[in-house]
Short mmCIF file of all heavy atoms in Angstrom, two decimals:
data_model
loop_
_atom_site.label_atom_id
_atom_site.label_comp_id
_atom_site.label_asym_id
_atom_site.label_seq_id
_atom_site.Cartn_x
_atom_site.Cartn_y
_atom_site.Cartn_z
N MET A 1499 92.37 66.57 107.43
CA MET A 1499 93.43 66.16 106.41
C MET A 1499 93.64 64.62 106.55
O MET A 1499 94.04 64.09 107.51
CB MET A 1499 94.79 66.81 106.89
CG MET A 1499 94.90 68.33 106.45
SD MET A 1499 95.87 68.50 104.93
CE MET A 1499 97.45 67.76 105.37
N THR A 1500 93.40 64.04 105.40
CA THR A 1500 93.60 62.55 105.36
C THR A 1500 94.75 62.23 104.44
O THR A 1500 95.39 61.21 104.66
CB THR A 1500 92.36 61.91 104.72
OG1 THR A 1500 92.00 62.45 103.56
CG2 THR A 1500 91.18 62.03 105.71
N THR A 1501 95.15 63.16 103.56
CA THR A 1501 96.30 62.92 102.75
C THR A 1501 97.57 63.51 103.29
O THR A 1501 97.58 64.68 103.59
CB THR A 1501 96.02 63.57 101.23
OG1 THR A 1501 94.73 63.39 100.97
CG2 THR A 1501 96.87 62.84 100.28
N PRO A 1502 98.63 62.74 103.49
CA PRO A 1502 99.84 63.34 103.84
C PRO A 1502 100.42 64.19 102.82
O PRO A 1502 100.35 63.90 101.66
CB PRO A 1502 100.71 62.13 104.28
CG PRO A 1502 100.17 60.96 103.50
CD PRO A 1502 98.73 61.23 103.31
N PRO A 1503 101.15 65.32 103.22
CA PRO A 1503 101.74 66.16 102.26
C PRO A 1503 102.88 65.37 101.45
O PRO A 1503 103.60 64.55 102.09
CB PRO A 1503 102.29 67.37 103.06
CG PRO A 1503 102.30 66.93 104.47
CD PRO A 1503 101.34 65.79 104.54
N PRO A 1504 103.01 65.64 100.29
CA PRO A 1504 104.14 65.13 99.53
C PRO A 1504 105.46 65.69 99.99
O PRO A 1504 105.53 66.74 100.74
CB PRO A 1504 103.89 65.50 98.08
CG PRO A 1504 102.98 66.58 98.03
CD PRO A 1504 102.22 66.50 99.42
N PRO A 1505 106.58 65.16 99.65
CA PRO A 1505 107.94 65.66 100.08
C PRO A 1505 108.03 67.15 99.61
O PRO A 1505 107.44 67.52 98.58
CB PRO A 1505 108.94 64.78 99.32
CG PRO A 1505 108.21 63.67 98.74
CD PRO A 1505 106.73 63.93 98.76
N VAL A 1506 108.70 67.90 100.41
CA VAL A 1506 108.86 69.36 100.06
C VAL A 1506 109.57 69.56 98.73
O VAL A 1506 109.55 70.72 98.16
CB VAL A 1506 109.53 70.16 101.15
CG1 VAL A 1506 108.65 70.12 102.42
CG2 VAL A 1506 110.81 69.71 101.52
N THR A 1507 110.13 68.61 98.21
CA THR A 1507 110.84 68.75 96.84
C THR A 1507 109.71 68.81 95.77
O THR A 1507 110.04 69.24 94.69
CB THR A 1507 111.78 67.58 96.62
OG1 THR A 1507 111.13 66.40 96.89
CG2 THR A 1507 112.99 67.73 97.48
N GLU A 1508 108.51 68.38 96.16
CA GLU A 1508 107.41 68.41 95.14
C GLU A 1508 106.85 69.82 95.20
O GLU A 1508 106.39 70.39 96.20
CB GLU A 1508 106.30 67.52 95.50
CG GLU A 1508 106.67 66.05 95.33
CD GLU A 1508 106.59 65.74 93.87
OE1 GLU A 1508 105.58 66.05 93.22
OE2 GLU A 1508 107.42 65.04 93.37
N PRO A 1509 106.77 70.51 94.10
CA PRO A 1509 106.11 71.95 94.11
C PRO A 1509 104.64 71.83 94.40
O PRO A 1509 104.07 70.83 94.12
CB PRO A 1509 106.36 72.45 92.67
CG PRO A 1509 106.66 71.31 91.85
CD PRO A 1509 107.21 70.18 92.69
N ASP A 1510 104.13 72.82 95.00
CA ASP A 1510 102.68 72.92 95.21
C ASP A 1510 101.95 72.94 93.89
O ASP A 1510 102.57 73.56 92.85
CB ASP A 1510 102.35 74.20 95.97
CG ASP A 1510 100.87 74.30 96.37
OD1 ASP A 1510 100.56 73.82 97.46
OD2 ASP A 1510 100.11 74.86 95.54
N PRO A 1511 100.76 72.32 93.68
CA PRO A 1511 100.13 72.41 92.38
C PRO A 1511 99.88 73.87 91.82
O PRO A 1511 99.93 74.04 90.68
CB PRO A 1511 98.76 71.65 92.63
CG PRO A 1511 99.07 70.84 93.88
CD PRO A 1511 100.12 71.45 94.66
N SER A 1512 99.65 74.68 92.75
CA SER A 1512 99.47 76.14 92.39
C SER A 1512 100.64 76.67 91.69
O SER A 1512 100.55 77.68 90.87
CB SER A 1512 99.07 76.99 93.61
OG SER A 1512 100.11 77.01 94.53
N ALA A 1513 101.90 76.28 92.01
CA ALA A 1513 103.13 76.75 91.43
C ALA A 1513 103.12 76.26 90.00
O ALA A 1513 103.91 76.96 89.15
CB ALA A 1513 104.34 76.22 92.15
N LEU A 1514 102.54 75.24 89.58
CA LEU A 1514 102.49 74.70 88.21
C LEU A 1514 101.59 75.51 87.40
O LEU A 1514 101.69 75.47 86.14
CB LEU A 1514 102.17 73.28 88.18
CG LEU A 1514 103.13 72.46 89.09
CD1 LEU A 1514 102.75 70.99 89.12
CD2 LEU A 1514 104.61 72.56 88.66
N THR A 1515 100.55 76.18 87.97
CA THR A 1515 99.53 76.84 87.13
C THR A 1515 99.71 78.34 87.10
O THR A 1515 98.87 79.03 86.47
CB THR A 1515 98.17 76.50 87.63
OG1 THR A 1515 98.02 76.72 89.05
CG2 THR A 1515 97.91 74.99 87.44
N CYS A 1516 100.69 78.93 87.91
CA CYS A 1516 100.83 80.34 87.82
C CYS A 1516 102.07 80.72 87.10
O CYS A 1516 102.89 79.86 86.71
CB CYS A 1516 100.97 80.77 89.33
SG CYS A 1516 102.62 80.49 90.02
N PRO A 1517 102.09 81.98 86.61
CA PRO A 1517 103.29 82.39 85.82
C PRO A 1517 104.57 82.19 86.74
O PRO A 1517 104.59 82.28 87.98
CB PRO A 1517 103.12 83.97 85.69
CG PRO A 1517 101.63 84.14 85.95
CD PRO A 1517 101.20 83.07 86.90
N GLY A 1518 105.61 81.80 86.04
CA GLY A 1518 106.90 81.49 86.78
C GLY A 1518 107.42 82.61 87.64
O GLY A 1518 107.96 82.27 88.62
N ASP A 1519 107.28 83.80 87.34
CA ASP A 1519 107.73 84.81 88.12
C ASP A 1519 106.86 85.10 89.37
O ASP A 1519 107.20 85.84 90.21
CB ASP A 1519 107.83 86.21 87.33
CG ASP A 1519 106.51 86.75 86.84
OD1 ASP A 1519 105.59 85.89 86.68
OD2 ASP A 1519 106.37 88.02 86.70
N LYS A 1520 105.81 84.32 89.48
CA LYS A 1520 104.86 84.49 90.76
C LYS A 1520 105.14 83.38 91.68
O LYS A 1520 104.51 83.27 92.71
CB LYS A 1520 103.43 84.46 90.31
CG LYS A 1520 103.03 85.59 89.35
CD LYS A 1520 103.03 86.98 90.20
CE LYS A 1520 102.28 88.08 89.33
NZ LYS A 1520 103.17 88.45 88.20
N ALA A 1521 105.98 82.42 91.27
CA ALA A 1521 106.31 81.25 92.21
C ALA A 1521 107.44 81.70 93.16
O ALA A 1521 108.33 82.48 92.89
CB ALA A 1521 106.69 80.03 91.36
N GLY A 1522 107.31 81.14 94.35
CA GLY A 1522 108.30 81.37 95.30
C GLY A 1522 108.25 80.32 96.45
O GLY A 1522 107.37 79.51 96.38
N PRO A 1523 109.16 80.43 97.39
CA PRO A 1523 109.14 79.34 98.44
C PRO A 1523 108.08 79.58 99.53
O PRO A 1523 107.82 80.76 99.84
CB PRO A 1523 110.63 79.51 98.99
CG PRO A 1523 110.96 80.91 98.85
CD PRO A 1523 110.32 81.31 97.50
N CYS A 1524 107.53 78.48 99.95
CA CYS A 1524 106.58 78.54 101.05
C CYS A 1524 107.29 79.11 102.28
O CYS A 1524 108.52 78.79 102.46
CB CYS A 1524 106.05 77.12 101.33
SG CYS A 1524 105.20 76.96 102.92
N ALA A 1525 106.62 79.84 103.12
CA ALA A 1525 107.26 80.57 104.24
C ALA A 1525 107.68 79.49 105.27
O ALA A 1525 108.52 79.75 106.14
CB ALA A 1525 106.42 81.61 104.88
N VAL A 1526 106.99 78.32 105.25
CA VAL A 1526 107.21 77.42 106.31
C VAL A 1526 108.25 76.25 105.85
O VAL A 1526 109.24 76.00 106.49
CB VAL A 1526 105.91 76.75 106.76
CG1 VAL A 1526 106.20 75.58 107.82
CG2 VAL A 1526 105.03 77.83 107.53
N CYS A 1527 107.86 75.58 104.74
CA CYS A 1527 108.53 74.44 104.30
C CYS A 1527 109.46 74.64 103.12
O CYS A 1527 110.19 73.74 102.72
CB CYS A 1527 107.60 73.25 104.01
SG CYS A 1527 106.58 73.47 102.64
N ARG A 1528 109.42 75.90 102.54
CA ARG A 1528 110.25 76.17 101.32
C ARG A 1528 109.82 75.44 100.10
O ARG A 1528 110.60 75.48 99.08
CB ARG A 1528 111.71 76.00 101.65
CG ARG A 1528 112.23 76.42 103.01
CD ARG A 1528 111.88 77.77 103.44
NE ARG A 1528 112.67 78.82 102.67
CZ ARG A 1528 112.43 80.14 102.80
NH1 ARG A 1528 111.51 80.58 103.59
NH2 ARG A 1528 113.22 80.94 102.16
N ARG A 1529 108.74 74.76 100.17
CA ARG A 1529 108.23 74.22 98.86
C ARG A 1529 107.90 75.26 97.93
O ARG A 1529 107.53 76.38 98.29
CB ARG A 1529 106.96 73.44 99.26
CG ARG A 1529 106.33 72.75 98.09
CD ARG A 1529 104.92 72.30 98.34
NE ARG A 1529 104.71 71.64 99.69
CZ ARG A 1529 104.95 70.33 99.87
NH1 ARG A 1529 105.26 69.55 98.88
NH2 ARG A 1529 104.90 69.81 101.08
N LYS A 1530 108.10 74.96 96.69
CA LYS A 1530 107.77 76.00 95.70
C LYS A 1530 106.31 76.12 95.50
O LYS A 1530 105.61 75.08 95.38
CB LYS A 1530 108.40 75.51 94.28
CG LYS A 1530 108.35 76.61 93.27
CD LYS A 1530 109.07 76.14 92.03
CE LYS A 1530 108.77 77.13 90.80
NZ LYS A 1530 109.10 76.49 89.55
N THR A 1531 105.81 77.32 95.63
CA THR A 1531 104.37 77.53 95.52
C THR A 1531 103.98 78.84 94.84
O THR A 1531 104.96 79.49 94.47
CB THR A 1531 103.72 77.50 96.97
OG1 THR A 1531 102.34 77.57 96.93
CG2 THR A 1531 104.30 78.70 97.82
N HIS A 1532 102.67 79.15 94.60
CA HIS A 1532 102.33 80.39 94.04
C HIS A 1532 102.27 81.37 95.13
O HIS A 1532 101.36 81.47 95.92
CB HIS A 1532 100.95 80.22 93.40
CG HIS A 1532 100.38 81.48 92.76
ND1 HIS A 1532 99.19 81.53 92.21
CD2 HIS A 1532 100.98 82.69 92.53
CE1 HIS A 1532 98.93 82.76 91.77
NE2 HIS A 1532 100.03 83.52 91.97
N ARG A 1533 103.36 82.09 95.22
CA ARG A 1533 103.47 82.91 96.46
C ARG A 1533 103.17 84.50 96.07
O ARG A 1533 102.65 85.16 96.98
CB ARG A 1533 105.00 82.91 96.89
CG ARG A 1533 105.26 83.81 98.03
CD ARG A 1533 106.37 83.28 98.91
NE ARG A 1533 106.34 84.09 100.10
CZ ARG A 1533 107.29 84.14 100.95
NH1 ARG A 1533 108.34 83.41 100.91
NH2 ARG A 1533 107.26 84.88 102.06
N TYR A 1534 103.44 84.98 94.98
CA TYR A 1534 103.33 86.29 94.69
C TYR A 1534 102.27 86.69 93.78
O TYR A 1534 101.79 85.86 93.02
CB TYR A 1534 104.66 86.86 94.07
CG TYR A 1534 105.90 86.54 94.82
CD1 TYR A 1534 106.81 85.56 94.37
CD2 TYR A 1534 106.15 87.14 96.07
CE1 TYR A 1534 107.93 85.23 95.19
CE2 TYR A 1534 107.27 86.91 96.81
CZ TYR A 1534 108.20 85.84 96.44
OH TYR A 1534 109.26 85.57 97.09
N GLY A 1535 101.75 87.91 93.83
CA GLY A 1535 100.73 88.44 92.87
C GLY A 1535 99.38 87.94 93.29
O GLY A 1535 99.25 87.25 94.27
N PRO A 1536 98.36 88.22 92.39
CA PRO A 1536 96.93 87.85 92.77
C PRO A 1536 96.80 86.34 92.94
O PRO A 1536 97.26 85.57 92.13
CB PRO A 1536 96.18 88.34 91.59
CG PRO A 1536 96.99 89.39 90.93
CD PRO A 1536 98.44 88.97 91.25
N GLY A 1537 96.16 85.90 93.89
CA GLY A 1537 95.92 84.48 94.23
C GLY A 1537 97.11 83.85 94.87
O GLY A 1537 97.05 82.64 95.25
N GLY A 1538 98.22 84.59 95.08
CA GLY A 1538 99.41 84.08 95.69
C GLY A 1538 99.25 83.95 97.15
O GLY A 1538 98.52 84.75 97.74
N ARG A 1539 99.89 83.03 97.77
CA ARG A 1539 99.87 82.98 99.35
C ARG A 1539 101.25 82.70 99.85
O ARG A 1539 102.08 82.14 99.10
CB ARG A 1539 99.01 81.70 99.64
CG ARG A 1539 97.58 81.89 99.15
CD ARG A 1539 96.83 80.64 99.48
NE ARG A 1539 97.44 79.44 98.74
CZ ARG A 1539 96.94 78.23 98.75
NH1 ARG A 1539 95.84 78.02 99.51
NH2 ARG A 1539 97.52 77.28 98.09
N PRO A 1540 101.54 83.12 101.08
CA PRO A 1540 103.01 82.83 101.49
C PRO A 1540 103.16 81.46 101.97
O PRO A 1540 104.26 81.05 102.16
CB PRO A 1540 102.99 83.70 102.79
CG PRO A 1540 101.61 83.97 103.27
CD PRO A 1540 100.74 83.92 101.95
N LEU A 1541 102.11 80.65 101.97
CA LEU A 1541 102.22 79.25 102.47
C LEU A 1541 101.68 78.41 101.24
O LEU A 1541 100.84 78.73 100.51
CB LEU A 1541 101.35 79.03 103.62
CG LEU A 1541 101.63 79.83 104.88
CD1 LEU A 1541 100.58 79.44 106.05
CD2 LEU A 1541 103.07 79.57 105.35
N CYS A 1542 102.35 77.18 101.18
CA CYS A 1542 101.80 76.19 100.13
C CYS A 1542 100.47 75.64 100.74
O CYS A 1542 100.09 75.87 101.92
CB CYS A 1542 102.84 75.04 100.08
SG CYS A 1542 102.99 74.01 101.49
N ALA A 1543 99.85 74.87 99.84
CA ALA A 1543 98.41 74.41 100.25
C ALA A 1543 98.51 73.60 101.53
O ALA A 1543 97.57 73.60 102.36
CB ALA A 1543 97.89 73.56 99.07
N TRP A 1544 99.58 72.79 101.72
CA TRP A 1544 99.61 71.94 102.85
C TRP A 1544 99.80 72.72 104.15
O TRP A 1544 99.17 72.43 105.19
CB TRP A 1544 100.69 70.89 102.76
CG TRP A 1544 100.21 69.94 101.60
CD1 TRP A 1544 99.45 68.80 101.71
CD2 TRP A 1544 100.67 70.00 100.27
NE1 TRP A 1544 99.33 68.32 100.50
CE2 TRP A 1544 99.99 69.01 99.54
CE3 TRP A 1544 101.48 70.94 99.47
CZ2 TRP A 1544 100.12 68.73 98.20
CZ3 TRP A 1544 101.54 70.73 98.15
CH2 TRP A 1544 100.87 69.71 97.48
N CYS A 1545 100.74 73.63 104.17
CA CYS A 1545 100.98 74.46 105.32
C CYS A 1545 99.79 75.34 105.56
O CYS A 1545 99.44 75.57 106.72
CB CYS A 1545 102.23 75.38 105.07
SG CYS A 1545 103.71 74.41 105.10
N MET A 1546 99.14 75.82 104.55
CA MET A 1546 97.87 76.63 104.68
C MET A 1546 96.85 75.82 105.36
O MET A 1546 96.16 76.28 106.28
CB MET A 1546 97.50 77.20 103.36
CG MET A 1546 96.27 78.07 103.44
SD MET A 1546 96.47 79.50 104.56
CE MET A 1546 97.62 80.55 103.56
N SER A 1547 96.66 74.58 104.95
CA SER A 1547 95.59 73.80 105.57
C SER A 1547 95.80 73.45 106.97
O SER A 1547 95.10 73.36 107.89
CB SER A 1547 95.18 72.57 104.76
OG SER A 1547 96.27 71.64 104.78
N ALA A 1548 97.22 73.32 107.29
CA ALA A 1548 97.60 73.01 108.70
C ALA A 1548 97.34 74.28 109.53
O ALA A 1548 96.97 74.20 110.66
CB ALA A 1548 99.11 72.73 108.71
N ALA A 1549 97.57 75.48 109.01
CA ALA A 1549 97.32 76.74 109.66
C ALA A 1549 95.82 76.91 109.89
O ALA A 1549 95.41 77.38 111.02
CB ALA A 1549 97.80 77.93 108.85
N ARG A 1550 95.05 76.47 108.91
CA ARG A 1550 93.58 76.52 109.08
C ARG A 1550 93.14 75.68 110.17
O ARG A 1550 92.28 76.00 111.04
CB ARG A 1550 92.90 76.20 107.84
CG ARG A 1550 92.72 77.34 106.93
CD ARG A 1550 91.48 77.20 105.94
NE ARG A 1550 91.64 77.99 104.82
CZ ARG A 1550 92.30 77.52 103.67
NH1 ARG A 1550 92.50 76.21 103.52
NH2 ARG A 1550 92.45 78.36 102.65
N ASP A 1551 93.74 74.40 110.26
CA ASP A 1551 93.30 73.55 111.30
C ASP A 1551 93.59 74.08 112.69
O ASP A 1551 92.89 73.90 113.58
CB ASP A 1551 94.16 72.14 111.12
CG ASP A 1551 93.60 71.38 109.94
OD1 ASP A 1551 92.59 71.69 109.41
OD2 ASP A 1551 94.32 70.39 109.69
N ARG A 1552 94.75 74.82 112.65
CA ARG A 1552 95.13 75.40 113.94
C ARG A 1552 94.33 76.61 114.37
O ARG A 1552 94.04 76.80 115.59
CB ARG A 1552 96.57 75.70 113.78
CG ARG A 1552 97.39 75.52 115.08
CD ARG A 1552 98.88 75.51 114.79
NE ARG A 1552 99.57 76.27 115.81
CZ ARG A 1552 100.75 76.79 115.67
NH1 ARG A 1552 101.44 76.51 114.68
NH2 ARG A 1552 101.34 77.44 116.65
N TRP A 1553 94.11 77.54 113.39
CA TRP A 1553 93.62 78.79 113.79
C TRP A 1553 92.18 79.04 113.31
O TRP A 1553 91.68 80.08 113.60
CB TRP A 1553 94.59 79.85 113.24
CG TRP A 1553 95.88 79.90 113.96
CD1 TRP A 1553 96.09 79.88 115.20
CD2 TRP A 1553 97.23 79.90 113.26
NE1 TRP A 1553 97.45 79.90 115.41
CE2 TRP A 1553 98.18 79.93 114.26
CE3 TRP A 1553 97.63 80.04 111.91
CZ2 TRP A 1553 99.55 79.95 113.99
CZ3 TRP A 1553 98.95 79.97 111.64
CH2 TRP A 1553 99.85 79.97 112.74
N GLY A 1554 91.69 78.10 112.53
CA GLY A 1554 90.31 78.21 112.06
C GLY A 1554 90.29 79.03 110.64
O GLY A 1554 91.34 79.53 110.21
N PRO A 1555 89.08 79.05 109.98
CA PRO A 1555 89.01 79.56 108.62
C PRO A 1555 89.31 81.01 108.59
O PRO A 1555 89.60 81.60 107.54
CB PRO A 1555 87.54 79.32 108.22
CG PRO A 1555 86.89 79.03 109.51
CD PRO A 1555 87.83 78.59 110.52
N GLY A 1556 89.23 81.77 109.72
CA GLY A 1556 89.49 83.26 109.66
C GLY A 1556 91.01 83.52 109.72
O GLY A 1556 91.34 84.67 109.92
N VAL A 1557 91.82 82.62 109.58
CA VAL A 1557 93.27 82.80 109.74
C VAL A 1557 93.72 83.92 108.78
O VAL A 1557 93.33 83.96 107.60
CB VAL A 1557 94.15 81.55 109.50
CG1 VAL A 1557 93.96 81.01 108.18
CG2 VAL A 1557 95.67 81.79 109.89
N HIS A 1558 94.54 84.79 109.33
CA HIS A 1558 95.14 85.95 108.56
C HIS A 1558 96.57 85.70 108.21
O HIS A 1558 97.28 85.14 108.99
CB HIS A 1558 94.94 87.28 109.23
CG HIS A 1558 93.57 87.73 109.31
ND1 HIS A 1558 92.82 88.06 108.21
CD2 HIS A 1558 92.71 87.80 110.34
CE1 HIS A 1558 91.54 88.37 108.59
NE2 HIS A 1558 91.43 88.27 109.86
N TYR A 1559 96.93 86.13 107.06
CA TYR A 1559 98.29 85.95 106.72
C TYR A 1559 99.46 86.42 107.60
O TYR A 1559 100.45 85.98 107.82
CB TYR A 1559 98.61 86.44 105.26
CG TYR A 1559 97.78 85.80 104.28
CD1 TYR A 1559 97.34 86.51 103.18
CD2 TYR A 1559 97.47 84.46 104.30
CE1 TYR A 1559 96.52 85.89 102.14
CE2 TYR A 1559 96.71 83.88 103.27
CZ TYR A 1559 96.29 84.50 102.30
OH TYR A 1559 95.50 84.02 101.36
N ASP A 1560 99.01 87.53 108.36
CA ASP A 1560 100.03 88.15 109.22
C ASP A 1560 100.18 87.31 110.55
O ASP A 1560 101.06 87.63 111.36
CB ASP A 1560 99.69 89.61 109.52
CG ASP A 1560 98.35 89.80 110.17
OD1 ASP A 1560 97.61 88.80 110.47
OD2 ASP A 1560 97.97 90.94 110.32
N SER A 1561 99.35 86.20 110.64
CA SER A 1561 99.54 85.34 111.77
C SER A 1561 100.52 84.21 111.39
O SER A 1561 100.90 83.40 112.15
CB SER A 1561 98.21 84.65 112.18
OG SER A 1561 97.28 85.59 112.46
N ALA A 1562 100.93 84.23 110.20
CA ALA A 1562 101.68 83.20 109.57
C ALA A 1562 103.09 83.48 109.29
O ALA A 1562 103.74 82.92 108.38
CB ALA A 1562 100.96 82.50 108.34
N ARG A 1563 103.54 84.46 109.87
CA ARG A 1563 104.98 84.94 109.63
C ARG A 1563 106.02 83.89 110.02
O ARG A 1563 105.80 83.19 111.01
CB ARG A 1563 105.25 86.22 110.42
CG ARG A 1563 104.72 87.45 109.68
CD ARG A 1563 105.29 88.64 110.34
NE ARG A 1563 104.49 89.88 109.96
CZ ARG A 1563 103.90 90.74 110.84
NH1 ARG A 1563 104.14 90.50 112.11
NH2 ARG A 1563 103.25 91.64 110.46
N PRO A 1564 106.97 83.76 109.22
CA PRO A 1564 108.08 82.82 109.64
C PRO A 1564 108.74 83.22 110.97
O PRO A 1564 108.76 84.29 111.33
CB PRO A 1564 109.06 82.78 108.59
CG PRO A 1564 108.62 83.82 107.57
CD PRO A 1564 107.36 84.42 108.05
ZN1 ZN B 610 104.70 74.74 103.01
#
């Protein structure tokens, strides 16, 4: 990771491209992200990459509970 994450008031880019009803808060930083439905994740892109750094590419979502 070379780019620092933007302030949590900035929505994740995925939140801007998904239907509004699929957007929700990141489980870690509460940033608005594409959380629900196909392609949705409980974490925003920045928290997800931090989780990958920590746990490797095989990280499972159930390891990322708040
Ligand atoms: Zn986050």
